[in-house]
Amino acid sequence: MYNAKQEQHRSVAYFEDAPCYPVGKLVKLHGMRKRMMEEKNPEKQESLAKAYHAFLDGMEKRPDAPSRIYLWEEGNMPASGKYLENPDYRYNHDPDFKPYMYEFLLPEDVLPKGAVILCAGGDHGDCVIHEAYQSCLDFNRLGYQSFMLLNRPNRMPYTGQECGADAARLIRMIRKNAAKYRILENQVAFAGFSNGGLTGEECIRYYSGSRRVTDYFPDYVEDGLDEYDGSPDAFLCVYGPRFVGNEIDYTGVVYPPVFFAVGMEDTALDNLHWTYRDLLAHGIRAEVHTFMGVPHGQAGVSLFGNFDYPNFELWLPLADAFMQRVYGKK
């Protein structure tokens, strides 16, 4: 007997390792997953789960598949230690999950404009395909070195300090290797979608300025990366602003210029109105773009052949112009 939740859980690594698989198969897998999870009839759902299982069994990595680049040294990842089990596949990541990233680098004959980290929304999983993977490709085309972050998401069972630490770690890795990536150390942006946007702010909230990982995880052993700034130089928050009324303490926080993009039919619109006013009240530079008729979660959906909201695709060149303006002001 096939379990739809179990099959869905099994597919997470395929979605999150999107650069390793043929994109056409990933798109098909995404559609099969959607139909399987939405089916209400138990017998039909089991039949769909069986087909899903068979398709997963046939998935093979590309011959040129890249390797995961893990963020933390073995045995030295800052963690609360409270996440011990994953009953009924409630979370996409099991307790043994180790955060990692993929690089999307430009040819050596192309001078990069900077670096952009892409962090998908939700509990990651299938959100990674369009929000992180496709967006990495989009920013490559715009002239940026792109990095796909697979961190501990900003939701249960992880804490904001944990998800923020993963984001800060990748920022530090990029800064240390700025010469390798042919960028300046102060040209590292973080782009977060939906829940990934909340991750971006947790990174800024807990790891900007003089804040250190050991402030929250005293057992963590610092290494050379911790001497680099762990907060982004520009923050792209795509339909992921902080929830209404969720205040933060700005004391000691070094908040970078922030770019917002959200559809007018998005449930996050009220959050944006509240967050934008709060940021302005604290002297933080912010740029806001809203798009008529666009609902939540539309970044990169052209990957699935969805071209219903071409106006939202304008967020990409607008974000490009925003980053270049920020870097020109430094």
Side-chain angles (χ1 to χ4, degrees):
M1 183 174 181
Y2 292 91
N3 182 304
K5 284 188 176 181
Q6 184 177 14
E7 294 304 318
Q8 186 275 333
H9 186 74
R10 182 179 165 223
S11 70
V12 168
Y14 292 85
F15 292 129
E16 297 189 349
D17 289 331
C20 300
Y21 295 96
V23 66
K25 289 193 174 183
L26 288 171
V27 170
K28 182 176 180 179
L29 186 67
H30 179 270
M32 293 176 72
R33 175 199 175 278
K34 187 174 186 292
R35 290 190 294 274
M36 177 181 68
M37 299 310 294
E38 291 179 352
E39 178 58 57
K40 302 301 182 185
N41 183 293
E43 291 183 0
K44 291 182 179 179
Q45 188 180 62
E46 183 178 355
S47 176
L48 291 172
K50 182 178 180 179
Y52 193 70
H53 179 94
F55 192 79
L56 281 173
D57 282 346
M59 289 281 285
E60 293 184 357
K61 289 187 175 181
R62 295 172 10 213
D64 59 345
S67 299
R68 294 178 175 184
I69 301 174
Y70 288 97
L71 303 185
W72 303 99
E73 294 294 332
E74 187 68 31
N76 193 34
M77 180 177 74
S80 68
K82 297 179 180 179
Y83 181 32
L84 302 175
E85 57 183 10
N86 187 15
D88 198 28
Y89 309 104
R90 179 179 179 185
Y91 306 113
N92 277 344
H93 302 119
D94 292 323
D96 61 353
F97 173 73
K98 298 177 182 179
Y100 60 98
M101 67 95 158
Y102 283 107
E103 299 174 329
F104 293 74
L105 304 183
L106 297 170
E108 289 294 323
D109 60 349
V110 177
L111 180 63
K113 296 179 178 179
V116 184
I117 296 168
L118 289 301
C119 183
D123 197 13
H124 294 344
D126 66 317
C127 292
V128 171
I129 305 176
H130 61 105
E131 290 180 336
Y133 175 59
Q134 179 59 47
S135 295
C136 278
L137 299 177
D138 290 335
F139 276 106
N140 270 168
R141 283 191 283 270
L142 289 169
Y144 293 87
Q145 306 283 35
S146 301
F147 302 84
M148 194 171 91
L149 172 62
L150 283 305
N151 69 317
R152 291 166 286 180
N154 181 41
R155 60 190 298 176
M156 293 294 291
Y158 302 114
T159 65
Q161 291 93 336
E162 286 172 305
C163 81
D166 293 342
R169 182 72 172 181
L170 180 49
I171 291 170
R172 292 181 171 117
M173 291 171 70
I174 295 170
R175 291 200 202 283
K176 180 181 179 181
N177 292 286
K180 167 189 169 183
Y181 297 130
R182 297 176 291 119
I183 62 168
L184 299 179
E185 282 190 28
N186 63 354
Q187 293 180 344
V188 183
F190 185 95
F193 304 83
S194 192
N195 193 47
L198 299 178
T199 289
E201 189 168 66
E202 297 292 59
C203 174
I204 297 163
R205 177 182 185 179
Y206 293 114
Y207 300 102
S208 64
S210 61
R211 289 173 167 80
R212 307 184 76 85
V213 176
T214 50
D215 293 339
Y216 315 102
F217 304 96
D219 294 333
Y220 169 73
V221 180
E222 292 189 341
D223 59 24
L225 286 177
D226 292 287
E227 299 308 312
Y228 292 85
D229 182 9
S231 184
D233 301 295
F235 177 28
L236 311 179
C237 186
V238 186
Y239 47 78
R242 188 183 347 142
F243 291 102
V244 173
N246 186 3
E247 298 183 356
I248 69 172
D249 181 359
Y250 289 91
T251 304
V253 172
V254 180
Y255 209 112
V258 56
F259 169 98
F260 291 103
V262 64
M264 294 293 286
E265 302 304 317
D266 197 317
T267 54
L269 195 59
D270 289 341
N271 297 336
L272 173 61
H273 292 157
W274 187 88
T275 302
Y276 178 64
R277 290 194 296 268
D278 184 58
L279 293 173
L280 292 184
H282 289 86
I284 296 161
R285 290 187 291 165
E287 181 173 315
V288 175
H289 297 277
T290 56
F291 300 86
M292 184 68 71
V294 179
H296 192 72
Q298 297 305 307
V301 294
S302 59
L303 180 68
F304 305 125
N306 183 347
F307 300 98
D308 292 342
Y309 309 103
N311 56 330
F312 190 70
E313 294 182 12
L314 291 172
W315 83 268
L316 287 160
L318 290 168
D320 176 20
F322 169 80
M323 286 186 287
Q324 292 310 298
R325 179 68 175 174
V326 170
Y327 300 152
K329 286 289 187 180
K330 286 187 177 290

